[in-house]
């Protein structure tokens, strides 16, 4: 019931009809799941509407992979955006800027991370992507964000949002470094 309520909350934004219900497997024994599946948990195969997760994972993150996939049918994916949208909709309401401030790697360029020129760990990608997605949606709206989900490249974002994107990124960078 919790998962279905989470789905409804998330899909209230995306307004998409999935081809089928998500096959959603929640493992209470993480190690057993990883041994049987031969891969770390959690993961989602969006085209199959298939999720394997653990009891410790958030309500919304993994299902957002499937929902956002069918909302936008991405042709160009960027890890920062594809994970960021899932962090934004994970339903935890964590303070992502505070998370980023606690990391000593605060001298990275958001644009370089977005373009894949600078490799950083999930400890940065997840909160950075989540906060970036939040600001993009709040500043530019749902419709433009769905266009970004289809082509998640920085270049497409620049075409969609123009110079205001630079201001948004600069503001985020300043907030992290403060």
């Amino acid at each position: 019931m919790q998962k279905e309520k989470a789905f409804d909350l998330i899909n209230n934004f995306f307004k998409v009809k999935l081809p089928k219900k998500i096959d959603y497997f929640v493992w209470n024994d993480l190690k057993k799941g990883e041994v049987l599946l031969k891969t770390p948990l959690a993961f989602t195969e969006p085209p199959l509407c298939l999720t394997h997760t653990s009891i410790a994972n958030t309500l919304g993150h993994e299902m957002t992979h499937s929902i956002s996939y069918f909302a936008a049918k991405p042709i160009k994916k960027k890890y920062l955006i594809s994970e960021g949208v899932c962090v934004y909709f994970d339903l935890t309401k964590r303070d992502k800027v505070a998370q980023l401030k606690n990391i000593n790697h605060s001298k990275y360029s958001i644009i370089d991370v977005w373009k894949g020129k600078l490799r950083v760990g999930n400890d940065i990608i997840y909160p950075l992507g989540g906060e970036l997605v939040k600001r993009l949606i709040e500043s530019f709206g749902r419709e433009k964000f769905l266009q970004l989900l289809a082509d998640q490249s920085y270049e497409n974002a620049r075409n969609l949002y123009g110079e205001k994107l630079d201001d948004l990124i600069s503001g985020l960078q300043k907030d992290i470094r403060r």
Side-chain angles (χ1 to χ4, degrees), residues 16-94:
V16 68
K17 180 151 176 51
L18 299 183
K20 64 186 261 344
K21 271 191 145 185
I22 298 171
D23 294 321
Y24 203 94
F25 298 93
V26 180
W27 293 80
N28 61 2
D29 185 336
L30 189 65
K31 291 195 188 298
K32 186 176 182 179
E34 290 177 352
V35 167
L36 289 171
L37 297 170
K38 297 179 174 63
T39 190
L41 293 179
F43 69 90
T44 295
E45 294 291 336
L48 303 176
C49 292
L50 172 67
T51 291
H52 283 272
T53 188
S54 76
I55 230 125
N57 287 90
T58 67
L59 275 175
H61 185 106
E62 289 302 323
M63 73 175 64
T64 300
H65 281 296
S66 290
I67 296 168
S68 64
Y69 172 83
F70 284 101
K73 301 275 195 323
I75 52 170
K76 281 188 187 173
K77 287 181 73 176
K78 290 294 181 180
Y79 195 58
L80 181 69
I81 302 301
S82 64
E83 288 302 328
V85 70
C86 296
V87 170
Y88 178 68
F89 286 101
D90 70 10
L91 304 178
T92 64
K93 300 191 185 336
R94 289 184 205 137

Side-chain angles (χ1 to χ4, degrees), residues 136-162:
L136 289 170
I137 291 170
E138 288 176 355
S139 297
F140 304 111
R142 176 186 177 274
E143 293 306 316
K144 285 207 180 203
F145 183 73
L146 290 176
Q147 290 175 46
L148 176 64
L149 272 182
D151 176 349
Q152 299 171 12
S153 67
Y154 170 76
E155 293 74 21
N156 183 49
R158 193 71 165 73
N159 288 336
L160 287 169
Y161 305 128

Side-chain angles (χ1 to χ4, degrees), residues 4 16 33 37 53 64 72 84 94 106 118 124 129 132 150 162 165 178:
E4 295 214 5
V16 68
L37 297 170
T53 188
T64 300
R94 289 184 205 137
S106 62
L118 180 63
I124 293 174
L132 178 61
L165 177 65
R178 259 184 234 171

Side-chain angles (χ1 to χ4, degrees), residues 82-145:
S82 64
E83 288 302 328
V85 70
C86 296
V87 170
Y88 178 68
F89 286 101
D90 70 10
L91 304 178
T92 64
K93 300 191 185 336
R94 289 184 205 137
D95 184 341
K96 290 146 197 74
V97 172
Q99 283 179 276
L100 291 163
K101 284 181 179 185
N102 290 329
I103 299 169
N104 281 334
H105 323 298
S106 62
K107 299 269 190 275
Y108 51 84
S109 157
I110 294 171
I111 295 170
D112 286 347
V113 171
W114 192 338
K115 289 181 175 182
K117 291 181 178 181
L118 180 63
R119 300 242 183 247
V120 295
N122 287 344
D123 61 329
I124 293 174
I125 288 283
Y126 279 49
L128 180 61
E131 185 63 24
L132 178 61
V133 165
K134 174 185 175 221
R135 291 177 186 217
L136 289 170
I137 291 170
E138 288 176 355
S139 297
F140 304 111
R142 176 186 177 274
E143 293 306 316
K144 285 207 180 203
F145 183 73

